[in-house]
Amino acid sequence: MTAAQPSDFNWNDLGFEYHELPKRYRAYFKDDVWSAGALETDPEIKVHEAATGLHYGQNIFEGLKAYRRKDGGINLFRPDMNAARFNRSAARLLMAPLPEDQFVDALKAVVKELQDFVPPYGSGATLYLRPFMFGNGPVVGVHPADEYVFEVYATPVGAYYKGGLTPTAYVTDQFDRAAYGGTGQAKAAGNYGASMLPGDRAHRNGFSDVVYLDPREHKYIEELGSANFFGITKDGRFLTPKSPSILPSVTKYSLLEVAEEVGLKAEETVISIEDLDVFAEAGAMGTAAVISPVGSITHNGEKHVFYSETEVGPWTQKLYDRLTSLQFGDSADTFGWTVDVPLD
Ligand SMILES: *Cc1c(COP(=O)(O)O)cnc(C)c1O
């Protein structure tokens, strides 16, 4: 009833808000099988009052984008990585695995159906895709659900940085996002619930987000809010944390390869919060912003400035340009990462 029409949008002035679109994809797991899946119109889902998704955290999600190319076609970027990660998340929370083909086909079906909502090439805006799954049906004791709902909804989102990449300030905190052996590697809804209080505290103190340190010693960098961290050393190494409690970011694994391509030496390693001096530049990586330059990190009341608090560094800009040009189909995809969405 209230679903948006393509003509409702000013593509150059989109933020990161939910807009109800006419269709979404849903599939239902019951009696040990997934339904074929179909496009549905109702944005509301019927959830059982005793659903494990409500009570016991059987609730996972993904996030990726559809990109309009110059030739009018539409790209997905490494959706197979999201499909595989989705099933690793499902396995960690003992939820029903979803065939990876069905995951990718669902994305394609949603994008094809909603193709007029994929913002035009050049606006920097994209169609954000949100696959998710939760346990449904009556379960009182703590054990996995017999029923699951899988959905992919879509909403147009604006370019994160409209006036070019801008550094922001981060701060360490005593809170942990996830534990070693916990659910940090899963894109579990509960991890986000746990991050809201520290995130809010950082925002109220004027920072864009929290630097989570390792949950055991609080010595090593884990994540920046809900993004992975990278630093580029003065001697040309692209370093990103290696830890059992961080979320394996598709953007991170892509930038590890792009970094090598542009002439950096890329490595996953432990990064001490006391060793920030080795870095010439730093950034946060994730689908939403691709790269957010890190201007500074404040730790124990001391502010460490990287390249600049106001300007993006040259390596960071180069990595951003190369990755976004691949996503939008502007440069030859030598990595084989983009997937064309058939539109008819
Ligand atoms: C989703 C997410 C990221 C970014 O992953 P991408 O696949 O690059 O979008 C990083 N950290 C956390 C905690 C996340 O949930």
Side-chain angles (χ1 to χ4, degrees):
M1 296 281 266
T2 54
Q5 297 303 308
S7 58
D8 295 341
F9 294 99
N10 176 356
W11 305 115
N12 295 309
D13 195 27
L14 279 171
F16 201 87
E17 282 112 40
Y18 173 84
H19 299 277
E20 184 189 323
L21 299 193
K23 294 285 171 62
R24 65 281 298 128
Y25 173 100
R26 286 195 193 114
Y28 302 89
F29 184 85
K30 206 174 172 173
D31 300 327
D32 290 324
V33 288
W34 281 104
S35 67
L39 296 166
E40 298 187 6
T41 52
D42 193 346
E44 303 207 359
I45 305 173
K46 205 158 176 183
V47 181
H48 195 280
E49 62 185 357
T52 61
L54 290 178
H55 298 270
Y56 300 137
Q58 278 197 309
N59 203 334
I60 58 172
F61 71 102
E62 275 299 327
L64 68 165
K65 291 168 166 178
Y67 305 82
R68 178 79 68 185
R69 300 191 306 261
K70 203 174 200 165
D71 67 5
I74 299 173
N75 278 347
L76 296 175
F77 185 73
R78 310 189 81 178
D80 52 311
M81 297 268 286
N82 296 92
R85 187 172 67 188
F86 195 64
N87 272 340
R88 290 198 306 273
S89 298
R92 179 62 183 80
L93 296 176
L94 220 56
M95 299 168 73
L98 181 76
E100 293 181 15
D101 286 350
Q102 187 169 0
F103 182 98
V104 175
D105 288 347
L107 298 172
K108 289 179 178 170
V110 167
V111 172
K112 181 184 168 200
E113 175 70 23
L114 300 172
Q115 56 185 276
D116 294 342
F117 294 94
V118 180
Y121 174 83
S123 64
T126 53
L127 186 68
Y128 182 74
L129 301 167
R130 169 53 63 84
F132 64 96
M133 190 209 307
F134 62 89
N136 204 3
V139 175
V140 179
V142 181
H143 55 83
D146 293 324
E147 297 172 29
Y148 294 88
V149 178
F150 171 69
E151 168 167 332
V152 180
Y153 79 71
T155 191
V157 296
Y160 205 84
Y161 293 102
K162 296 199 171 64
L165 296 178
T166 315
T168 56
Y170 290 78
V171 63
T172 58
D173 198 308
Q174 289 306 303
F175 283 110
D176 297 322
R177 191 190 74 91
Y180 288 173
T183 56
Q185 284 184 36
K187 220 165 165 73
N191 295 342
Y192 276 73
S195 74
M196 286 192 189
L197 174 66
D200 179 65
R201 191 155 81 173
H203 296 154
R204 279 188 288 102
N205 289 322
F207 297 97
S208 63
D209 220 323
V210 173
V211 178
Y212 290 104
L213 300 177
D214 74 279
R216 205 173 277 168
E217 297 181 78
H218 279 194
K219 262 174 78 175
Y220 305 105
I221 297 180
E222 291 259 304
E223 297 224 42
L224 303 187
S226 49
N228 282 185
F229 172 84
F230 73 84
I232 298 167
T233 64
K234 293 166 183 167
D235 62 353
R237 287 174 301 144
F238 175 96
L239 304 183
T240 184
K242 193 179 178 68
S243 156
S245 49
I246 67 181
L247 195 281
S249 153
V250 175
T251 315
K252 186 257 293 283
Y253 284 114
S254 305
L255 285 171
L256 278 163
E257 293 192 50
V258 169
E260 291 274 350
E261 189 199 48
V262 302
L264 295 162
K265 275 194 67 64
E267 197 186 337
E268 291 179 272
T269 183
V270 289
I271 298 173
S272 168
I273 190 67
E274 304 293 349
D275 280 348
L276 300 181
D277 280 341
V278 302
F279 296 116
E281 299 179 32
M285 305 175 273
T287 295
V290 186
I291 293 178
S292 299
V294 176
S296 67
I297 289 178
T298 297
H299 177 56
N300 291 339
E302 279 183 43
K303 180 161 85 172
H304 178 91
V305 175
F306 293 93
Y307 181 76
S308 156
E309 288 185 89
T310 52
E311 275 172 56
V312 58
W315 282 117
T316 304
Q317 185 70 53
K318 192 175 256 186
L319 292 169
Y320 176 87
D321 290 345
R322 174 66 172 138
L323 189 58
T324 52
S325 82
L326 285 164
Q327 291 170 331
F328 284 101
D330 287 336
S331 59
D333 181 7
T334 46
F335 298 100
W337 286 340
T338 53
V339 173
D340 176 69
V341 179
L343 297 178
D344 47 43

